[in-house]
Amino acid sequence: MYSLLVADDHPLFRDALHAVISAGLTSAQLLESDSLAAAIHTIDNHDELDLLLLDLSLPDADGLEGLTILRERFPWLPVAIVSAHQERQLVLDAITQGAVGYIPKSTPREQLLAALNQILQGQLYLPADIMRQPPPRMESSALASSSSEPPRERLIRLTDKQLDVLSCMTQGMSNKQIARELLIAETTVKTHVSAVLRKLGATSRVHAIVIAGEEELGAYLAKRTSTN
């Protein structure tokens, strides 16, 4: 039986989320709070919680401030963001700061349940449609100054298949989903993921995703495609 806490100041959204979780995760217990302070009080009194679903617009927390406070105070508790904000950089920042997932409030019911199951099974969840968005375009002056720069040193270490795997990772895919997408065995995916982490010097999948963003993986892949 899973025990979840949702921290959101909108009663209608809490009710809707409660209905979805009750129908899809029948053995789950869902607690509610309408502020960061209330969430902290609830966590202090429920050390059996499995997951906190955190809104980024609580009245007593600004943006990712609440996530930072919760990760420092309760490092044992996984925190997933549930938010109306859907900026790609915000998703990456949340994951970098320790969130185990990022679920847009516009996520359909079935996809929401799949995301929760993925997170509760210990996997990272990222919204594929947001992660597929290209990073913000650079200003023309920046493009001009960087046009003569050599390829990204860390990405150039990866084979074509490892780049494909990394691209899938940045879209929030699990190993099973990557195997299905690339038509390879799941054990092969695990081997590629290990190699990607090693070659990038990444300590985790999240770290590898952050590095991919820093190295502008999408632009790097597009350049490789155009030159082949």
Side-chain angles (χ1 to χ4, degrees):
M1 178 177 178
Y2 293 116
S3 182
L4 289 74
L5 169 63
V6 54
D8 193 293
D9 64 331
H10 290 87
L12 288 178
F13 179 75
R14 295 200 308 270
D15 289 346
L17 193 58
H18 194 289
V20 171
I21 292 176
S22 297
L25 299 173
T26 55
S27 62
Q29 175 191 20
L30 185 64
L31 304 176
E32 301 178 13
S33 59
D34 59 2
S35 67
L36 180 63
I40 290 173
H41 177 75
T42 301
I43 299 168
D44 280 332
N45 291 280
H46 295 81
D47 58 5
E48 79 287 357
L49 286 171
D50 295 297
L51 178 65
L52 168 61
L53 300 174
L54 177 68
D55 181 36
L56 293 182
S57 301
L58 295 176
D60 55 349
D62 182 23
L64 294 173
E65 176 188 5
L67 173 62
T68 301
I69 292 171
L70 291 165
R71 294 301 300 143
E72 290 177 352
R73 183 157 180 172
F74 308 105
W76 55 269
L77 178 61
V79 180
I81 302 300
V82 181
S83 176
H85 300 287
Q86 300 189 39
E87 296 81 13
R88 186 177 189 273
Q89 189 57 53
L90 180 60
V91 176
L92 288 173
D93 289 344
I95 298 302
T96 302
Q97 294 187 32
V100 296
Y102 196 105
I103 306 174
K105 287 188 175 181
S106 59
T107 303
R109 174 191 293 256
E110 293 304 319
Q111 189 176 337
L112 172 60
L113 288 173
L116 291 176
N117 275 307
Q118 186 169 319
I119 292 170
L120 289 169
Q121 291 170 14
Q123 300 180 43
L124 176 72
Y125 176 80
L126 294 173
D129 53 342
I130 295 178
M131 298 312 295
R132 288 192 186 104
Q133 297 173 6
R137 299 187 64 173
M138 300 171 63
E139 297 295 332
S140 56
S141 59
L143 284 170
S145 64
S146 63
S147 60
S148 60
E149 290 182 355
R152 304 303 186 193
E153 291 186 1
R154 286 180 287 189
L155 294 182
I156 205 171
R157 302 169 189 165
L158 305 182
T159 66
D160 288 344
K161 187 61 70 175
Q162 289 163 1
L163 286 167
D164 290 339
V165 169
L166 178 58
S167 178
C168 290
M169 289 166 60
T170 65
Q171 296 173 39
M173 294 187 190
S174 64
N175 286 351
K176 182 176 295 186
Q177 291 170 324
I178 295 174
R180 190 181 306 123
E181 176 72 15
L182 301 181
L183 302 177
I184 56 179
E186 190 172 349
T187 53
T188 304
V189 174
K190 292 179 180 178
T191 300
H192 284 315
V193 170
S194 296
V196 167
L197 298 186
R198 184 181 71 254
K199 291 183 178 181
L200 293 182
T203 56
S204 65
R205 290 175 77 102
V206 173
H207 191 193
I209 291 168
V210 172
I211 291 173
E214 294 173 345
E215 302 280 281
E216 299 180 352
L217 174 63
Y220 180 74
L221 292 176
K223 185 175 181 180
R224 284 176 63 91
T225 300
S226 65
T227 56
N228 288 340

